[in-house]
Amino acid sequence: MKNTTWTFRQAKAEGKKLTMLTAYDYTMAKLMDQSGINGILIGDSLGMVVKGEPDTLSVTMEEMIYHTRAVKRGAGNALVVSDMPFMSYQVSVEQAVENAGRLVKEGGANAVKLEGGRIILPQIRAIVAAQIPVMGHLGLTPQSVNAFGGFKVQGKSEEAIRQLLDDAAALEEAGVFSIVLEGIPEKVAELITRKVAIPTIGIGAGKACDGQILVYQDMLGLFQDFVPKFVRQYANIGSIIVEAIGTYIHEVETGQFPAAEHTYRISEQLLEKLY
Ligand code: KIV
């Protein structure tokens, strides 16, 4: 079944959990779609897991469009959500609408995601008014890493929790179809999830959320720099790859690869003429 922003809302109403993963290319998007994932996020986490940067801040609109197009081609039934990168929506409402439009027109995204609460409400309202579905993102929003003084769990004091609750209510009122809750205590995510009628998608926010999202390199054991506390590794593809490449190197070095079945041939008669 095709996933849409409408089926996302419907899932919450029916108490059905939603599943999302990040992807950045066609091959992975196609595999995820085959598995039956509800949504694929082209996350600006690509700054870290694809580009090898220490944070997401360097990611550009051009990079987001490029990766969104690739994912879109592989995502048959999954809802395709594209991140608006740092400084693509903060400067002005006009800039935000124009860039959201590019992710849809040039990248093929079904929806866009912006980090932040009431501070970016004018941008969210304008994008929604342009008929582009918006996913919100609250809590440990990675584009605020410098303002937070690091990747720190958010929503721990009463004031911070009240801010999060007010932000979530404001985002819902502005028309977002869903909210990512990242890096906040489980009970805070549960409170928010109860208070809004739109689905919450958690990452490091406990199991009360209406759905979950993970960065695929984390959950498949591909990204080996560090494993965040909130990640479960469902496979260790990283070691499978290292082992397979080791075997390839050995077989090339010892003449076992390529073998006869991997080789194109010409007839013996033709060969004799050439000598
Ligand atoms: O950029 C990203 O991958 C994200 C998810 C972690 C929610 O925003």
Side-chain angles (χ1 to χ4, degrees):
M1 191 187 72
K2 189 92 187 148
N3 289 274
T4 65
T5 55
W6 189 85
T7 60
F8 264 51
R9 287 168 188 265
Q10 196 63 21
K12 173 153 184 159
E14 291 168 5
K16 186 179 168 291
K17 292 274 187 190
L18 288 160
T19 54
M20 289 190 73
L21 285 170
T22 64
Y24 316 93
D25 65 43
Y26 168 80
T27 305
M28 278 310 297
K30 207 162 174 191
L31 290 171
M32 288 175 191
D33 204 69
Q34 259 177 48
S35 306
I37 202 83
N38 294 121
I40 298 178
L41 172 73
I42 302 89
D44 61 357
S45 50
L46 75 85
M48 299 169 84
V49 294
V50 177
K51 292 170 67 183
E53 300 280 356
D55 53 45
T56 62
L57 303 180
S58 70
V59 176
T60 65
M61 274 298 299
E62 265 53 47
E63 287 166 342
M64 289 308 303
I65 291 167
Y66 173 88
H67 288 280
T68 302
R69 280 173 70 119
V71 166
K72 179 67 179 185
R73 291 190 196 108
N77 287 324
L79 182 75
V80 173
V81 184
S82 190
D83 253 343
M84 295 199 66
F86 183 55
M87 282 301 132
S88 70
Y89 56 95
Q90 287 90 345
V91 175
S92 70
V93 170
E94 288 72 23
Q95 184 211 39
V97 177
E98 195 174 320
N99 283 328
R102 289 191 69 197
L103 290 169
V104 173
K105 277 185 90 149
E106 299 173 45
N110 301 122
V112 297
K113 176 166 80 58
L114 284 74
E115 295 183 9
R118 283 158 293 172
I119 196 104
I120 53 155
L121 273 197
Q123 285 91 326
I124 290 178
R125 284 193 212 286
I127 297 170
V128 171
Q131 306 302 302
I132 299 172
V134 173
M135 179 176 257
H137 187 162
L138 296 174
L140 198 184
T141 44
Q143 291 176 19
S144 305
V145 62
N146 289 320
F148 291 155
F151 293 104
K152 294 189 174 136
V153 173
Q154 300 295 304
K156 287 174 115 178
S157 67
E158 182 181 340
E159 194 199 336
I161 295 167
R162 289 196 188 282
Q163 298 267 5
L164 281 172
L165 285 164
D166 289 349
D167 279 339
L171 290 185
E172 179 175 31
E173 192 273 323
V176 307
F177 73 94
S178 171
I179 305 175
V180 168
L181 298 177
E182 177 165 0
I184 59 173
E186 182 171 41
K187 289 291 171 195
V188 178
E190 187 176 338
L191 262 178
I192 297 172
T193 300
R194 280 211 202 137
K195 289 207 169 193
V196 295
I198 50 174
T200 59
I201 310 291
I203 173 161
K207 63 179 179 191
C209 295
D210 300 305
Q212 296 292 326
I213 182 164
L214 285 173
V215 170
Y216 88 78
Q217 285 90 339
D218 288 339
M219 61 89 75
L220 293 181
L222 283 160
F223 185 73
Q224 300 182 333
D225 294 3
F226 57 88
V227 182
K229 173 184 164 69
F230 55 81
V231 168
R232 176 172 289 167
Q233 285 192 333
Y234 287 84
N236 197 340
I237 311 283
S239 19
I240 294 174
I241 290 176
V242 171
E243 200 183 312
I245 294 173
T247 306
Y248 166 73
I249 292 169
H250 173 74
E251 291 195 351
V252 170
E253 286 175 352
T254 56
Q256 296 175 71
F257 179 83
E261 67 268 29
H262 310 119
T263 309
Y264 302 105
R265 296 178 193 288
I266 54 170
S267 69
E268 288 298 321
Q269 294 101 307
L270 176 55
L271 189 59
E272 273 167 25
K273 282 193 204 160
L274 299 171
Y275 273 99

